[in-house]
Amino acid sequence: MSAPIITVENISKKYIIGQNLHGRGSRTFRDVFDHKLKRFFLRDGRKEKHENTIWALKDVSFEVQEGEVVGIIGRNGAGKSTLLKILSRITEPTKGKAILCGRVASLLEVGTGFNMELTGHENIYLNGAILGMRKSEIDRKFDDIVNFAEIEKFIYTPVKRYSSGMYLRLAFAVAAHLEPDILVIDEVLAVGDFAFQKKCLGKLENISHEGRTILFVSHNMAAVSALCSRGIVINEGKLEYDGQSKDAITYYFKHMIQSSKKSLELREDRSGNGKARFVDIHLEDINGEGVTSLWSGGNIRFRLTVLPFFPIVKPQFLLTIYSSTGQKLFHCSSLVVGLKNGTQGVIDKKTNVICDIDKLPLTPGEYYANIALYSQNDLVDHVEAAINISVQEGDYFGTGRIPNRESGIFLVQHEWFYQE
């Protein structure tokens, strides 16, 4: 076997809460003096105990061979993005080292790597130069990049005037077409529409067939399963599983379901601006009585409790149901159907929010729900696998004949009749 194209040896990354994480350039002399003074008095190993630290990664090690397509999966805050930033040389590890052989192209966040004052045309050449491409190489790929991004009319417009979708299309097109040896992608495809996501995944498949190496972070498990031959599961900064992608996905969702049994108020694996948080979720029947399981065709109520730390203006709630293998089934959105008995458009105290589902259309099996709160389109709180759902057999059609698991996932009301 040839030497690996990526070698990660005992990578650890520590952040100090309150520390400027964006580099030293914006730190004042007083910041540096206070930090040095604190370290002087906290000697003999005591400083670690007194510093409020977060280990985003802890002793992560693995190797990737040339041409492998590796999916990196994990919950929000697991350390996936930190790992990719280290591999992309955006940040340095606290301990350990990462060795990458060849040119690396990264697509980590919409906005990373582009100069907002330059045009799309100029940014293509800027990114190519950063990757070590000659101008002749960029010239050869230029038309393909522009055509793929579908921004011909705006190629000479400063990218600061691009929509997020336009920006993403150009960023992906540049990263994918400039022929890096290693392509690192982190969840940004979620910004694009469905047609563009499909186009991107097709391009990634072509890249993988060319023998180039891809590291792919996504919550879209269908995409990970289809694109990646190998999966790595990161949890709380540690590498917990490394194997075939389908096995990694199975491991991940078993862990997700176990986590749903923890107190929602105490869970820290969540995302959002933190201005409010979900502190409780449980299942009830339509009379408000607590239940532990559901049945096909039954009416069900989700009761969510929200604790605001700041007034939440124009709240929007989203509850998404997934299968035990991570397949998104449907979501219930207050933005679409409205929010009755409203709070005058503001949540400023602990509040219960109800989501009623009539005639649950699921066949028997295990499911789970993600929940999210938005305020004026800003994500406030999002929790994956907030609750586990066990669905039992039920008389969905009211015929006395009970549909089973072989009926698929969804049940749909229908009728048959003869017509002469």
Side-chain angles (χ1 to χ4, degrees):
M1 182 178 292
S2 60
I5 194 170
I6 300 174
T7 302
V8 175
E9 295 182 358
N10 300 315
I11 287 288
S12 297
K13 180 64 179 180
K14 179 179 72 173
Y15 290 113
I16 300 174
I17 297 177
Q19 181 184 25
N20 182 351
L21 302 181
H22 302 291
R24 299 182 178 181
S26 58
R27 295 174 66 189
T28 65
F29 173 78
R30 180 176 179 176
D31 294 333
V32 176
F33 179 78
D34 288 347
H35 182 66
K36 296 291 186 182
L37 188 63
K38 183 186 294 184
R39 291 179 66 88
F40 176 78
F41 285 106
L42 299 176
R43 296 177 178 176
D44 302 325
R46 293 165 52 207
K47 62 183 178 183
E48 183 67 25
K49 183 173 69 174
H50 288 273
E51 288 178 347
N52 195 359
T53 61
I54 294 177
W55 285 93
L57 293 172
K58 302 175 184 176
D59 296 320
V60 173
S61 299
F62 61 90
E63 294 181 346
V64 178
Q65 298 296 321
E66 184 176 3
E68 275 195 289
V69 183
V70 181
I72 300 177
I73 58 180
R75 305 167 67 91
N76 291 325
K80 308 182 301 297
S81 296
T82 299
L83 174 62
L84 294 195
K85 287 178 180 178
I86 290 174
L87 296 180
S88 301
R89 302 290 190 254
I90 293 174
T91 187
E92 291 293 324
T94 304
K95 300 177 183 177
K97 63 180 180 179
I99 303 172
L100 291 86
C101 303
R103 290 191 297 213
V104 180
S106 300
L107 191 55
L108 303 184
E109 297 174 2
V110 176
T112 302
F114 275 20
N115 186 317
M116 301 301 287
E117 300 299 325
L118 300 181
T119 66
H121 179 280
E122 292 166 331
N123 270 292
I124 291 174
Y125 281 89
L126 173 63
N127 271 253
I130 291 173
L131 282 174
M133 307 286 288
R134 296 180 180 273
K135 183 176 181 300
S136 58
E137 293 180 87
I138 304 172
D139 289 339
R140 180 165 48 87
K141 288 289 184 177
F142 185 85
D143 290 341
D144 291 337
I145 293 171
V146 175
N147 291 335
F148 187 93
E150 302 173 0
I151 57 165
E152 294 91 339
K153 295 181 180 179
F154 307 98
I155 193 62
Y156 295 106
T157 300
V159 297
K160 65 182 179 182
R161 298 196 175 97
Y162 284 13
S163 68
S164 60
M166 292 167 59
Y167 198 103
L168 171 65
R169 292 200 298 272
L170 181 59
F172 181 88
V174 171
H177 283 82
L178 293 181
E179 299 183 355
D181 300 299
I182 302 168
L183 182 59
V184 179
I185 300 178
D186 184 9
E187 199 56 70
V188 292
L189 299 187
V191 179
D193 57 32
F194 177 77
F196 181 69
Q197 290 181 31
K198 185 176 180 180
K199 188 176 182 178
C200 290
L201 291 173
K203 181 62 179 178
L204 291 177
E205 287 182 7
N206 292 338
I207 291 174
S208 66
H209 294 156
E210 294 170 1
R212 285 183 273 167
T213 305
I214 301 175
L215 297 183
F216 182 57
V217 166
S218 178
H219 284 90
N220 184 340
M221 295 302 149
V224 172
S225 178
L227 182 66
C228 305
S229 58
R230 177 181 168 193
I232 290 176
V233 179
I234 304 290
N235 182 46
E236 296 182 350
K238 298 179 180 180
L239 193 156
E240 285 200 347
Y241 189 91
D242 185 351
Q244 292 187 355
S245 59
K246 292 183 178 179
D247 294 335
I249 292 169
T250 299
Y251 177 92
Y252 171 62
F253 281 111
K254 284 183 178 179
H255 182 271
M256 289 272 285
I257 291 173
Q258 290 173 354
S259 295
S260 68
K261 300 175 182 177
K262 297 179 181 178
S263 169
L264 186 60
E265 185 174 11
L266 300 178
R267 285 181 53 179
E268 296 299 330
D269 52 330
R270 58 211 308 157
S271 57
N273 59 30
K275 293 183 177 180
R277 65 163 48 196
F278 294 105
V279 295
D280 191 24
I281 180 174
H282 59 271
L283 297 170
E284 300 176 348
D285 61 22
I286 58 175
N287 297 317
E289 297 293 330
V291 297
T292 57
S293 63
L294 318 180
W295 63 94
S296 300
N299 297 332
I300 189 63
R301 168 171 292 176
F302 290 86
R303 181 182 293 272
L304 286 64
T305 305
V306 180
L307 177 63
F309 305 108
F310 300 90
I312 304 302
V313 180
K314 295 182 179 179
Q316 302 163 11
F317 294 91
L318 186 67
L319 184 146
T320 308
I321 305 297
Y322 291 81
S323 71
S324 60
T325 58
Q327 181 181 6
K328 182 188 291 186
L329 303 180
F330 62 87
H331 67 253
C332 306
S333 170
S334 69
L335 179 63
V336 175
V337 302
L339 188 59
K340 299 178 182 179
N341 302 328
T343 57
Q344 306 302 319
V346 177
I347 295 178
D348 56 8
K349 61 182 179 180
K350 194 173 184 179
T351 304
N352 290 322
V353 183
I354 303 298
C355 178
D356 282 343
I357 299 177
D358 296 334
K359 202 166 185 180
L360 187 71
L362 299 176
T363 54
E366 297 296 320
Y367 306 87
Y368 68 90
N370 291 4
I371 53 177
L373 167 62
Y374 290 83
S375 174
Q376 298 178 309
N377 297 321
D378 290 332
L379 180 62
V380 177
D381 194 28
H382 174 253
V383 184
E384 299 178 14
I387 190 169
N388 187 37
I389 305 165
S390 179
V391 178
Q392 310 298 324
E393 292 181 343
D395 188 5
Y396 179 86
F397 298 104
T399 62
R401 300 182 180 94
I402 307 300
N404 56 30
R405 297 172 187 262
E406 296 179 0
S407 301
I409 295 177
F410 286 107
L411 298 169
V412 179
Q413 190 67 50
H414 62 281
E415 61 181 13
W416 290 87
F417 58 91
Y418 288 107
Q419 185 176 45
E420 298 193 12

